Amino acid sequence: MPRHRTDVDGLRRAARPRTTALAVTLIGLVVLVTGCGSGQLGRRHLQRIGSGSEGQVGSMLVRDATFAYDHPIEGNAVYQPGESVAVRATIVNEGSTTDRLVSVSSPIADEGLVRGEHTIPGGHTLTAGYTEPVASITLPNTTSIDLRLLGLNTALRSGPTYPVVFTFARAGEIRIELRVDNPDVPGEYCPLPPNGKAPKVLTAPPGRGPIPPRNPLPDCAAIPTSIPTVQLLDVEGPLLRPTWATEHDVLLGFIEKDGRRLVRVDPETGETLRARELENAGEDFGLIPQPDERVALPLTEPGRVALLDTESLVEVGGIDAVPAPSRVTVDELSKTLFVLSEDGSTVTGVDYERQEVLFRQEVQAGPEAVVAPGNDTEPSFWLVTPEGFTYFHGEQPEPMGTLRVPLSHKTFSSDDTVPKSAYFAEEGSSRVQLVEGDSRGGLEVVESNDFGETIEHVEAEPEEEHRVYAVTATKLISMRYDSLEVITTTEYRSTLERAGLGHARISDLTVGDDYLYLAVEGEPYVLKIRKEESLTE
């Protein structure tokens, strides 16, 4: 589903400035030291960029994880069977709920040791295994503990990786491959700015070189962080119709758990921030933009579209006399809600500012039909069915072009910059196509690109990002909105397989400011995939 945008001033509007989420990543990579070079900088002004492994489960982030070793490496084995090894790591609770590190374990050791205060309140950090002064000395909300594996049953060598399982009381467990820290490769120390926070450094997707910060500090190389490209959020239940609300930076969606509920989900942790029980709700919902951002929720039984406050999910208004509303889409240019009836027979147009019905159009499209915005100053919409799609336009919208192709509504997305323009993939096809209005008043395909894998979802964001996204069974593809030329490809299937979800499919997606969110069908998880744009800001 499309995300919500604001400030509609014309067909092409300026992009909203983005705020790349730093979370607490920078703290997780900082080790403060006492001096460097000429000795003019104190421990509050230097950082050591870690080179360890990382992983995430729920709101718990494990960063810079390695087996500590502080002597020159000589010979083959670094640690011998029977010895113990210290685990170095920075663990950050990105959520608001307290969690606890229950254990650290590995098949290469008899047992694990967690010594020290290992409760982790929300926003708190644990550090372990650092021999130099660490963040807990100079940064608030940080505790130092000791993590060890006892009784190694194999020799540890410099170079190979060895599995370690971090288990949390609430978030669950995560398995990370760790290497022995190589003291022969010195860490890089960089000046910190006056506020004591580490500078933002970024990393590229797999296969591409790292991109440095725009303004790297003097004498500080552009070392990439370990922010993962693909993360897996643990949510309360399978998320249906995920929708990004830009003004509140949250995910909205339905969860079917003891009845249907509309939920607000924290995009960092997956936690449910607020929920509203629903009765007789339709198949989806829409977001009406500011100045009064609202959720437009169709209620089939009373024949009403309820308007909910996006933050509280409390009803603040509504439109009555809408025939059995089931699906709704929002056209910001014409300031119109297009509401499709449950049986697919009628589209009702509603002026969402005046909250009054503008028209009713008989379409007789059937219960599998959906509507999408036509993106024009006059009311216009796309009617999408399994047999194809039709463009409607005018004060009493009439058909203005039809393309007959086997289609799923999940592989259709309208272009929000040009009227009578959309992207689609035929059912079972590996091609994404761009369709526009032709000189005869109909529709024609003007661009096409074949990706060699069946396209399961298409989502367009050409207005703000000049991007169109396609999802296959294994990857997310970003392409140019005009030529469909590939910009980036991100493989996500391996992330699902590591979580035991190799069988799972993607049910829907939404585009956020810095990430895309892919709901996992039938499972309480959402894939969070970092955008290519966030690497350059």
Side-chain angles (χ1 to χ4, degrees):
M1 294 182 66
R3 65 176 176 172
H4 165 57
R5 289 173 296 276
T6 59
D7 301 328
V8 184
D9 297 322
L11 287 173
R12 297 183 181 275
R13 289 156 282 180
R16 178 177 181 269
R18 306 191 187 283
T19 304
T20 302
L22 295 181
V24 230
T25 300
L26 300 176
I27 295 178
L29 294 175
V30 174
V31 178
L32 303 178
V33 297
T34 56
C36 177
S38 62
Q40 297 301 310
L41 297 174
R43 66 168 58 135
R44 295 177 182 269
H45 301 88
L46 292 175
Q47 63 162 345
R48 180 180 187 272
I49 303 295
S51 58
S53 303
E54 55 80 27
Q56 178 174 6
V57 56
S59 63
M60 302 307 302
L61 293 168
V62 181
R63 296 274 165 81
D64 193 30
T66 66
F67 295 117
Y69 192 77
D70 56 4
H71 300 289
I73 294 177
E74 298 178 0
N76 194 12
V78 178
Y79 288 98
Q80 299 293 339
E83 294 183 340
S84 65
V85 56
V87 176
R88 190 186 77 195
T90 297
I91 303 172
V92 183
N93 185 348
E94 281 197 322
S96 57
T97 304
T98 297
D99 208 331
R100 180 168 52 88
L101 178 61
V102 176
S103 66
V104 57
S105 61
S106 174
I108 66 170
D110 294 338
E111 58 181 319
L113 171 69
V114 178
R115 183 165 55 194
E117 178 51 59
H118 49 277
T119 298
I120 319 171
H124 201 89
T125 301
L126 294 183
T127 59
Y130 296 99
T131 57
E132 298 164 349
V134 297
S136 56
I137 294 178
T138 55
L139 295 177
N141 303 324
T142 305
T143 301
S144 179
I145 63 171
D146 185 23
L147 300 179
R148 292 181 180 274
L149 296 180
L150 307 178
L152 294 176
N153 55 42
T154 186
L156 301 192
R157 294 171 171 80
S158 178
T161 61
Y162 303 89
V164 174
V165 177
F166 296 81
T167 302
F168 300 93
R170 183 174 182 275
E173 67 178 38
I174 182 171
R175 176 183 172 123
I176 305 176
E177 296 289 327
L178 272 61
R179 286 186 170 87
V180 176
D181 185 34
N182 189 345
D184 296 334
V185 179
E188 179 124 5
Y189 295 89
C190 307
L192 285 172
N195 65 4
K197 295 182 179 180
K200 180 167 66 174
V201 286
L202 303 168
T203 183
R208 298 185 60 187
I211 299 174
R214 277 189 177 169
N215 299 303
L217 295 176
D219 303 320
C220 179
I223 305 173
T225 72
S226 55
I227 303 173
T229 299
V230 182
Q231 303 173 50
L232 192 62
L233 296 180
D234 186 350
V235 293
E236 181 182 354
L239 192 65
L240 308 175
R241 312 292 187 265
T243 301
W244 179 256
T246 297
E247 296 307 316
H248 292 277
D249 292 324
V250 296
L251 282 169
L252 299 176
F254 291 139
I255 285 182
E256 303 277 2
K257 188 176 182 181
D258 301 323
R260 174 168 284 195
R261 295 188 299 156
L262 178 66
V263 295
R264 297 176 80 246
V265 176
D266 187 326
E268 298 296 329
T269 68
E271 293 181 80
T272 297
L273 302 174
R274 193 174 298 275
R276 178 186 174 93
E277 303 289 340
L278 302 175
E279 292 185 7
N280 303 315
E283 291 296 317
D284 60 16
F285 59 93
L287 279 180
I288 298 173
Q290 283 212 351
D292 297 312
E293 185 182 60
R294 297 288 183 260
V295 176
L297 179 69
L299 302 173
T300 56
E301 189 63 32
R304 172 180 173 82
V305 177
L307 301 181
L308 312 180
D309 178 77
T310 306
E311 185 168 9
S312 66
L313 303 184
V314 171
E315 185 170 343
V316 293
I319 302 99
D320 295 310
V322 180
S326 179
R327 295 185 180 273
V328 62
T329 193
V330 179
D331 192 324
E332 297 180 33
L333 286 179
S334 64
K335 303 187 185 306
T336 305
L337 294 177
F338 298 101
V339 188
L340 183 64
S341 61
E342 189 173 22
D343 62 1
S345 64
T346 305
V347 174
T348 302
V350 176
D351 184 316
Y352 62 67
E353 289 190 330
R354 299 198 300 267
Q355 297 185 24
E356 62 182 37
V357 173
L358 298 175
F359 64 83
R360 290 188 179 88
Q361 176 69 46
E362 295 294 325
V363 294
Q364 301 302 328
E368 295 184 70
V370 300
V371 284
N375 303 304
D376 203 342
T377 52
E378 288 189 353
S380 60
F381 63 90
W382 295 91
L383 184 69
V384 183
T385 74
E387 292 77 38
F389 49 88
T390 301
Y391 182 75
F392 288 76
H393 177 77
E395 291 186 6
Q396 180 70 34
E398 296 291 338
M400 301 290 287
T402 297
L403 192 62
R404 297 293 181 189
V405 291
L407 190 71
S408 164
H409 69 269
K410 295 181 179 182
T411 58
F412 179 94
S413 184
S414 59
D415 184 336
D416 60 4
T417 63
V418 180
K420 207 173 182 178
S421 177
Y423 305 87
F424 73 97
E426 296 181 34
E427 184 75 26
S429 171
S430 57
R431 290 189 305 157
V432 175
Q433 303 181 67
L434 167 60
V435 63
E436 294 181 351
D438 62 21
S439 58
R440 301 180 302 277
L443 298 172
E444 65 175 342
V445 173
V446 296
E447 292 290 347
S448 177
N449 197 348
D450 194 319
F451 297 101
E453 292 185 36
T454 300
I455 305 298
E456 299 182 354
H457 299 271
V458 174
E459 189 68 45
E461 289 294 336
E463 177 197 18
E464 294 191 355
E465 304 175 3
H466 307 297
R467 300 287 188 269
V468 179
Y469 297 97
V471 177
T472 72
T474 63
K475 60 193 176 186
L476 171 71
I477 304 164
S478 167
M479 63 196 102
R480 286 185 55 86
Y481 74 105
D482 49 0
S483 65
L484 303 184
E485 176 186 357
V486 174
I487 301 170
T488 59
T489 298
T490 303
E491 189 276 326
Y492 68 80
R493 177 58 53 180
S494 60
T495 300
L496 293 177
E497 290 173 348
R498 287 194 296 270
L501 299 169
H503 64 284
R505 299 180 62 183
I506 302 304
S507 62
D508 214 336
L509 78 153
T510 188
V511 184
D513 289 340
D514 297 303
Y515 294 86
L516 285 91
Y517 300 87
L518 281 60
V520 181
E521 187 174 65
E523 301 287 352
Y525 296 100
V526 172
L527 282 168
K528 178 180 176 181
I529 302 180
R530 191 176 65 242
K531 289 183 183 178
E532 185 266 345
E533 287 90 343
S534 64
L535 299 171
T536 59
E537 297 184 349

